[in-house]
Amino acid sequence: MQRYLLSRLIQSVVLMIGVLVLVFFIVRLTGDPARLMMPRDASPENIQAFREAMGFDAPLHVQFFNYMRGALTGDFGRSLHYRAPAMSLVVERIPATLELALAALFFALVVSIPLGIIGGTRPGSIWDTLCRGIGLIGQTVPNFWLALMLIVFFSVELRWFPTFGRDGLRSLVLPAIALGFFPLGKFTRLVRASVLEIRNEDYIRTAYSKGLLEQHILTRHIFRNVAITLVSIVGVQFGYMLGGSIYIESIFAWPGIGRMVNEAVQARDFPLVQAIAVFTAGFVVLLNLLTDIAYAVIDPRIRYEN
Amino acid sequence: MEKKKIIGLGLVFLVMVGTGTALAGGGREAPAAPVSTLRVAVPTFPNSLDASIAAERNAQNVAWQMFDSLVWANDQNIVEPALAERWDISDDGTVYTFHLRRGVTFHNGEPFNADAVVYSWERGTQPHIEWSDRWGRAKSVEAVDEYTVRITTEEPDPLLLGVMAQHWNIIPPRYTQEVGDDGFGQAPVGTGPFEFVEWVREGRIVMRANPNYWREGLPRVDQVIFRPIPESSTRMAAIQTGEVDIVNRLTVEQAEALEGVPGVNVVTYPIDRVFYIAFNNLTTGVDQPTEDARVRRAMNYAVDRQAIIDSLFGGRAQLATGLMTESNLGYDHSIDPYPYDPARARRLLADAGYPDGFEIGFAAPAGAYTNFEQVAEAIQGYLADVGIRTSLDIMESGRYWDLEAEKALPPLFGDSWSERSGESLPRLLGALGGWDASFSAWSDPTIDDYLARIGVTVDQDERAQLYRELHQFMYDDPPFIYLYVPETFEATRDNVVDYMPRAAEDYFLMFTYIR
């Protein structure tokens, strides 16, 4: 177990260093921030002065060295657009993004687990058709379209929820549904498929032939094995949801990280883009690490094989 | 053992969800709105509430509700007294003496006086200030006595007063030094009609009426709340539900859909922005057929711009006759837009020695302007009809503007230019200033001469006359295919009175009230 964890940890660190390097160079492929940030009728001299003031005229390797040195101490420089430390701007927005992602995940799990189990245990039934239908719709409907439809129907027509903003629990409902709908579809299909598959395993047949109660077989033998599959996918999906919330956060004017990505990229705010990219990548790496640990905890085969 | 771990994991998850919910519960509820609260949706998130650092139009609009300058430009773009009651200009036009309004205080109680003006200018000209070049139009700003300021310029500068009105926000020295530039941008203090209350990051910016405002009887509402809503569909929904009172930057389709919706008024007006296809005679366009004025005129005749406006903008844009708009000083209304006349275009091309047309490179930015990619594609089709074969390159706007600034775009390139000073001089200098301008690919000695003269002619009528002559010259020898002046679409609740946005999409909410 310890060796397993250690190797996962080392992999994560190497991955993060790779992310740091990649982010630095990719951001610089997008062009010159000095021109974009200065007024359009600014003279070339003024733009050059700004470039020097911001350190963009330094050779790339010098910029890279400064960046890596800062990154290792958690300093990602100052946002050019917002004129504040980049990482603290990101940190400010974590609660909103996390809240939305967790609410969406909660919504997706609460609906998909029962639905998938019902579908999987009664294949061919009307419930199964519903389950497969929702699974398909969830995975095919674009979330930004769904978000707009939710607003039109539940905000403009029915006036049940606010159209935008982060003002308490009521304002969380529509964005969470919009963001949670894709994982909902994915989880439902996954749970249904695993239930179907596990039901055909030898040990389930054995359990039935032993005369165990249906109830008992479901809880003791099927659910636990479904959980293994689910845990691995939930972790990954949660990471995606942080990134995928760019649209949803913009549509609902939700003050999270996703919405800031858009602004930072448009403003060519190098330090901020870097901070967001490194933070998001770090979060996904951390989630994967946690998933791996959870996996090992739930499924003994994993930790013993390693 | 196994079971415990699963339960443990479940608990961890529940705690995470619980934390999320608790955070949600901790979000602020909207305050019960008194009748005189104006809620304004803005499409971007201000980077700063300091008007000298606020980077773009929407941020500036938010910031400027809290500030005054020495002078103010009214709706007709005529400069009026503000923090200065009057001013004298020396005979050579380079020394301005401003007599300041007495008894004005900043929101924090600091007195407004000549020192505040000098301090504001000294800070404004520092290189880290976004609009430092606007402050830098003055060579020196000195306090003569407590209520007199002398401002000197290098040369006569006809735009100085206008630029001051738009960019010189006067700030309190003591407070600014205390909190620093960053702190000031988070919680600014000015002399303006509204004072800062709070800024919930990316959620809301709240201001209340300045009870001691020097303009008697203003502002007319007790409170203004700005709400950033980046997505225009959401802004449209929010004005329908009445969650906000004013929204801007809607699409033409959204504006049309809002027509007739009870409780909503649609507001539309042409903005001070010109769209064009530029020619290049500095780098990539050298030795190209487009160096010949007849070819450039032919290309203006070849494109059916009215059809483009009708099909892509629902007819809601005006044909451009030059790089000036109707709201600009010296706009010549007698100049009609180039008509769509492909036969004439072909004749002109034949006269210029290209009866079979020619091939040329053409580029346009993607995602930068509404439907502009389609506009470029339509132009490509029209040009092909008269034999001009273009290879259209639509590229990511960031890279596009880099190349534009390096003067490395193809000889035909599309763009637009907005202006807020009410005069077209900055736009003309920017787009036609040749090597001296960052985004210009054109140089013409006649134009240079006009621009130089306009730049030092303080007399308004004389300047207008020069603009008119230049307008005609640029019509006959066009450095651009002139496209259109777009309209912008906004909406208010129908109980909002005296919301008066201007051609630069700026507005002053001190006059606005709720019926």
Side-chain angles (χ1 to χ4, degrees):
Chain A
M1 184 76 177
Q2 275 173 353
R3 250 187 71 195
Y4 170 76
L5 285 184
L6 194 68
S7 76
R8 281 285 180 274
L9 204 62
I10 291 171
Q11 282 174 18
S12 302
V13 170
V14 172
L15 195 63
M16 277 314 293
I17 291 173
V19 166
L20 281 172
V21 175
L22 213 65
V23 163
F24 177 85
F25 286 103
I26 288 181
V27 162
R28 269 153 189 81
L29 287 179
T30 61
D32 180 1
R35 270 193 210 108
L36 201 83
M37 300 194 59
M38 291 293 281
R40 221 171 138 75
D41 47 10
S43 67
E45 293 78 43
N46 278 352
I47 292 177
Q48 182 57 27
F50 178 82
R51 200 174 282 139
E52 282 164 21
M54 290 296 173
F56 293 135
D57 59 329
L60 203 58
H61 66 271
V62 175
Q63 288 188 48
F64 180 69
F65 179 73
N66 290 337
Y67 158 80
M68 282 304 271
R69 198 178 47 190
L72 292 177
T73 57
D75 176 9
F76 284 82
R78 283 171 65 79
S79 156
L80 307 175
H81 184 64
Y82 292 101
R83 302 182 187 232
M87 205 30 117
S88 70
L89 285 171
V90 178
V91 170
E92 256 176 36
R93 280 160 184 75
I94 292 174
T97 290
L98 211 57
E99 171 187 316
L100 178 57
L102 284 172
L105 193 66
F106 182 72
F107 163 72
L109 287 173
V110 160
V111 179
S112 66
I113 293 177
L115 210 58
I117 289 175
I118 295 172
T121 48
R122 296 185 182 76
S125 70
I126 178 115
W127 291 105
D128 186 34
T129 313
L130 181 73
C131 163
R132 281 186 301 168
I134 288 182
L136 191 69
I137 292 172
Q139 288 206 271
T140 47
V141 168
N143 63 8
F144 59 88
W145 180 83
L146 178 69
L148 292 175
M149 291 302 113
L150 290 173
I151 290 176
V152 168
F153 192 70
F154 290 106
S155 301
V156 178
E157 291 301 322
L158 296 175
R159 309 278 162 107
W160 286 0
F161 301 104
T163 51
F164 72 99
R166 181 175 175 234
D167 300 304
L169 215 50
R170 240 155 52 91
S171 65
L172 182 61
V173 175
L174 296 186
I177 293 177
L179 186 62
F181 214 64
F182 178 84
L184 186 156
K186 195 164 185 170
F187 296 166
T188 306
R189 287 167 60 121
L190 189 90
V191 171
R192 178 183 174 274
S194 340
V195 170
L196 270 178
E197 193 190 311
I198 294 163
R199 271 165 54 93
N200 289 329
E201 292 284 341
D202 292 343
Y203 58 84
I204 301 292
R205 201 164 344 123
T206 310
Y208 272 112
S209 58
K210 279 202 299 189
L212 290 181
L213 285 174
E214 173 94 27
Q215 204 73 9
H216 187 81
I217 296 171
L218 267 180
T219 48
R220 292 298 303 249
H221 298 282
I222 297 183
F223 289 177
R224 186 180 290 185
N225 284 293
V226 169
I228 293 174
T229 334
L230 205 57
V231 162
S232 64
I233 202 81
V234 163
V236 176
Q237 197 59 43
F238 192 59
Y240 281 141
M241 277 158 71
L242 290 178
S245 56
I246 292 177
Y247 300 117
I248 300 298
E249 287 189 359
S250 295
I251 289 175
F252 288 102
W254 191 263
I257 295 171
R259 206 174 65 177
M260 203 167 61
V261 170
N262 211 353
E263 306 251 313
V265 170
Q266 301 242 340
R268 298 257 194 103
D269 193 336
F270 281 15
L272 191 54
V273 171
Q274 283 167 179
I276 295 172
V278 170
F279 171 80
T280 314
F283 200 80
V284 171
V285 168
L286 182 73
L287 275 175
N288 282 344
L289 194 66
L290 287 177
T291 307
D292 284 341
I293 295 170
Y295 216 47
V297 170
I298 298 176
D299 189 348
R301 283 170 299 183
I302 307 242
R303 56 177 186 266
Y304 296 136
E305 269 165 30
N306 283 273
Chain B
M1 180 69 189
E2 298 297 302
K3 191 187 276 176
K4 271 186 194 159
K5 277 181 181 167
I6 294 179
I7 293 171
L9 275 176
L11 279 177
V12 167
F13 181 74
L14 276 179
V15 169
M16 284 166 81
V17 172
T19 316
T21 318
L23 288 168
R28 289 161 211 240
E29 286 295 334
V35 185
S36 59
T37 295
L38 201 57
R39 296 155 306 167
V40 184
V42 283
T44 55
F45 317 102
N47 62 325
S48 167
L49 296 183
D50 178 350
S52 287
I53 289 179
E56 41 79 46
R57 160 64 45 241
N58 294 289
Q60 292 247 313
N61 278 339
V62 175
W64 267 102
Q65 310 304 328
M66 296 178 282
F67 294 105
D68 286 307
S69 182
L70 295 185
V71 292
W72 188 66
N74 69 14
D75 291 347
Q76 278 73 50
N77 214 33
I78 292 167
V79 173
E80 292 178 351
L83 288 178
E85 282 179 315
R86 60 198 162 80
W87 56 92
D88 318 305
I89 306 174
S90 67
D91 290 340
D92 70 350
T94 61
V95 181
Y96 291 67
T97 308
F98 287 92
H99 305 280
L100 307 184
R101 195 174 294 276
R102 289 159 196 254
V104 175
T105 54
F106 287 96
H107 301 148
N108 67 342
E110 272 186 74
F112 162 73
N113 53 30
D115 289 341
V117 178
V118 173
Y119 176 80
S120 300
W121 176 79
E122 282 170 351
R123 190 196 71 126
T125 47
Q126 287 170 20
H128 71 278
I129 297 293
E130 178 83 18
W131 301 98
S132 55
D133 63 323
R134 301 300 201 271
W135 288 91
R137 290 187 92 103
K139 192 176 69 183
S140 73
V141 174
E142 304 151 278
V144 177
D145 61 45
E146 196 179 355
Y147 291 105
T148 312
V149 171
R150 187 186 301 127
I151 295 181
T152 316
T153 58
E154 205 82 52
E155 285 176 342
D157 182 355
L159 295 191
L160 179 70
L161 290 173
V163 166
M164 284 171 65
Q166 306 283 3
H167 291 285
W168 288 31
N169 60 319
I170 303 302
I171 58 173
R174 208 185 63 223
Y175 177 74
T176 313
Q177 280 160 340
E178 224 169 78
V179 297
D181 281 339
D182 291 344
F184 190 79
Q186 303 294 315
V189 167
T191 58
F194 292 97
E195 26 179 286
F196 175 80
V197 176
E198 65 166 345
W199 184 2
V200 181
R201 270 285 176 179
E202 303 221 345
R204 70 181 77 238
I205 295 155
V206 182
M207 301 171 195
R208 66 167 164 257
N210 173 2
N212 308 313
Y213 194 45
W214 56 267
R215 280 185 172 105
E216 295 277 323
L218 297 180
R220 291 182 176 149
V221 290
D222 299 328
Q223 189 174 235
V224 177
I225 301 177
F226 289 94
R227 308 286 318 254
I229 309 180
E231 167 62 41
S232 68
S233 311
T234 315
R235 289 197 294 279
M236 177 186 170
I239 194 79
Q240 283 177 278
T241 61
E243 284 164 89
V244 292
D245 300 308
I246 298 172
V247 295
N248 67 356
R249 304 252 169 117
L250 299 171
T251 66
V252 59
E253 293 84 4
Q254 286 162 349
E256 281 169 1
L258 283 175
E259 297 276 5
V261 169
V264 177
N265 283 342
V266 174
V267 179
T268 165
Y269 53 93
I271 58 175
D272 195 350
R273 180 181 281 276
V274 183
F275 280 83
Y276 52 79
I277 306 296
F279 297 106
N280 175 316
N281 72 354
L282 292 181
T283 53
T284 56
V286 173
D287 294 333
Q288 292 283 334
T290 47
E291 287 206 301
D292 189 321
R294 286 170 296 187
V295 171
R296 281 178 274 118
R297 282 167 55 208
M299 290 166 82
N300 271 285
Y301 283 118
V303 178
D304 189 350
R305 294 157 309 151
Q306 191 60 51
I308 291 175
I309 291 172
D310 290 343
S311 57
L312 291 172
F313 301 99
R316 311 288 284 264
Q318 300 176 345
L319 287 171
T321 62
L323 210 61
M324 306 171 191
T325 64
E326 282 190 6
S327 60
N328 294 151
L329 179 72
Y331 180 89
D332 189 343
H333 288 266
S334 69
I335 295 178
D336 288 324
Y338 273 93
Y340 174 51
D341 192 344
R344 195 158 171 189
R346 281 191 207 93
R347 276 204 305 279
L348 276 165
L349 285 175
D351 287 352
Y354 304 99
D356 301 320
F358 53 88
E359 276 182 33
I360 195 160
F362 178 18
Y369 309 114
T370 312
N371 294 343
F372 198 60
E373 299 86 339
Q374 289 92 316
V375 170
E377 281 162 5
I379 291 168
Q380 183 181 34
Y382 284 117
L383 292 178
D385 287 346
V386 297
I388 301 172
R389 298 169 298 279
T390 54
S391 53
L392 175 59
D393 191 359
I394 294 179
M395 41 179 124
E396 188 269 320
S397 56
R399 174 166 166 67
Y400 187 85
W401 285 316
D402 271 358
L403 289 175
E404 189 173 343
E406 285 159 19
K407 312 197 192 306
L409 284 176
L412 289 183
F413 62 95
D415 212 332
S416 82
W417 203 299
S418 71
E419 181 50 50
R420 70 174 303 195
S421 68
E423 287 202 24
S424 48
L425 183 61
R427 170 165 51 213
L428 290 163
L429 281 170
L432 295 164
W435 291 105
D436 293 337
S438 298
F439 285 89
S440 167
W442 192 262
S443 182
D444 179 322
T446 312
I447 294 175
D448 289 346
D449 178 54
Y450 271 113
L451 295 181
R453 277 153 64 201
I454 290 170
V456 293
T457 305
V458 180
D459 183 274
Q460 189 138 321
D461 295 334
E462 276 176 48
R463 208 156 71 246
Q465 180 55 33
L466 289 169
Y467 275 124
R468 275 190 287 274
E469 289 170 21
L470 178 59
H471 193 171
Q472 184 64 50
F473 175 82
M474 284 174 54
Y475 182 85
D476 298 331
D477 188 351
F480 305 96
I481 302 176
Y482 301 115
L483 299 178
Y484 48 88
V485 175
E487 288 183 17
T488 192
F489 304 95
E490 309 188 350
T492 67
R493 296 299 298 176
D494 62 0
N495 58 354
V496 173
V497 185
D498 283 347
Y499 167 66
M500 296 173 290
R502 301 144 167 224
E505 291 182 273
D506 53 346
Y507 49 79
F508 294 88
L509 296 174
M510 59 185 160
F511 305 107
T512 313
Y513 62 99
I514 305 260
R515 191 168 48 214

